[in-house]
Amino acid sequence: VPRALVPVEAGDGAMYTALLPQEEQVDVLERLDFVLRNISELRREVEELRSTLQHLAAEIVGEVRSHLEETQKVTRRRRFPFPRERSDSTGSSSIYFTASSGAANTDDGESEGGYSTANAESDYDRESERESEEGEDEVSCETVRPVRRDSLDLVNEDETHLMLDSSLEEGLGQLLQQADRLHSGDEQEKREGFQLLLNNKLAYADQKDFLWRLARAHSDMSEITEDTDEKRSYASDGKEEMEIALQKWDQSAECHQWYAVLCGQLAEHESIQKRIQTGYVFKEHIDKAIALKPEDPKSHYLLGRWCYQVSHLGWLEKKTAAALFEAPPTATVQDALQNFLRVEELSPGFSKAGRVYIAKCYRDLGNNSAAVLWMTLAAELPVNTKEDAESERELEEMRSVCQE
């Protein structure tokens, strides 16, 4: 370490000695290094904030424009509340969504994913507009059940709203089933599920079950994309969706669960201080999710992951936590093991990664025979997620160590 020197005696024979002791010099250099790192992180965070604000402004403009276009289309259709009977129609659809049932569907408005939206205009709509201009008595509207105009003299507004609500509810049920199926698929299906939910956000943004699935889809996209900025963006957007949802549905276990997941994904790209702070938030919301829905294996799995990571915090992370908080996070390998075993109790074979974690816990506790048993059980399960693939590599490393 370089030392600042000052002359002890004047003249050519002057002797030099250190201005500061070596220990103080090291301390000063460490403090300067800490300041420089903080300045660098602050600069990066300012850039990220600027980028996020620009992205948010573009999204707001796009959503407002889409909402205006959607409102105009819905208003045009609601002008004619009585649909006429069609003998040549091969299917019907909700304004916002209809899942493909697997049968042949020849609607002109069918999209590539097998479902149709309000943005797809069919010949049926064009005929309705043409007939209304010609003054015909019979008109069409896809959201109301077939009825003859000559059987009624006026429209019951309350009944019309009930029929519209029923149609939207039915469309939501189909949409959620389709989203769950795509979420359980491969990466391409996850991408399709994310786009499907985005396309229907305007219609169902006030529905709890829709919102937490949209947040889950953001989590999927953050997991499967390779670009770091995109990972952070997807996680941040999904977290914002859940913050809004939790203001209305604080008693929803799924909302708390996916808020915690997205916080964890976002923290992966933050500093040590941010990760530790997020750890407290993660634990708080997972505990709430378990309290609201104790039989959900995923929440216990996430809590087990948290306990295992906390039990393996490094020296620097522990010191940082102790400096930032009065009560640093504490958890043991035994705590993690209990949660992972609870997952197997609720849903045997829940995930390959879960069984690998059980083996790791037993290994850390010195129970090698149990570790080998759970390694064997983990090998029996297929690789379904990116996390399972990472666990497969860990499993191979553990096998190599055991063989040696």
Side-chain angles (χ1 to χ4, degrees), residues 24-36:
E24 293 182 8
Q25 292 180 32
V26 173
D27 182 66
V28 169
L29 289 176
E30 289 179 348
R31 290 174 181 271
L32 289 174
D33 183 62
F34 179 77
V35 171
L36 290 175

Side-chain angles (χ1 to χ4, degrees), residues 202-312:
L202 286 176
Y204 302 111
D206 60 343
Q207 299 294 322
K208 176 191 66 177
D209 291 336
F210 175 87
L211 277 181
W212 71 256
R213 283 175 171 84
L214 178 59
R216 181 183 67 183
H218 276 90
S219 175
D220 289 341
M221 294 300 295
S222 179
E223 180 181 353
I224 64 180
T225 188
E226 298 297 334
D227 185 78
T228 302
D229 292 335
E230 289 185 4
K231 283 180 176 291
R232 185 185 297 110
S233 178
Y234 283 125
S236 178
D237 291 346
K239 178 173 174 283
E240 291 176 3
E241 295 286 356
M242 282 296 89
E243 287 175 347
I244 297 173
L246 285 172
Q247 293 177 4
K248 296 176 63 177
W249 300 293
D250 185 60
Q251 298 303 306
S252 169
E254 289 81 6
C255 288
H256 284 289
Q257 181 187 97
W258 286 104
Y259 181 77
V261 171
L262 288 158
C263 284
Q265 289 178 317
L266 192 58
E268 293 176 1
H269 312 286
E270 304 291 349
S271 62
I272 294 178
Q273 294 92 329
K274 291 284 185 67
R275 290 201 299 271
I276 294 175
Q277 290 174 342
T278 302
Y280 286 92
V281 177
F282 182 95
K283 176 68 160 50
E284 175 187 356
H285 286 275
I286 286 299
D287 285 343
K288 288 182 178 179
I290 292 177
L292 292 168
K293 197 173 182 180
E295 303 303 314
D296 186 352
K298 184 173 182 63
S299 293
H300 290 281
Y301 171 75
L302 292 171
L303 182 57
R305 285 281 309 271
W306 184 88
C307 291
Y308 191 84
Q309 291 177 357
V310 169
S311 68
H312 286 74

Side-chain angles (χ1 to χ4, degrees), residues 337-351:
L337 178 60
Q338 290 177 358
N339 281 284
F340 290 129
L341 291 177
R342 177 61 174 159
V343 173
E344 283 293 319
E345 179 183 345
L346 293 172
S347 178
F350 177 76
S351 73

Side-chain angles (χ1 to χ4, degrees), residues 314-334:
W315 178 87
L316 179 59
E317 293 168 320
K318 289 180 180 179
K319 289 294 183 181
T320 304
L324 292 175
F325 304 98
E326 294 181 359
T330 57
T332 64
V333 175
Q334 187 65 43

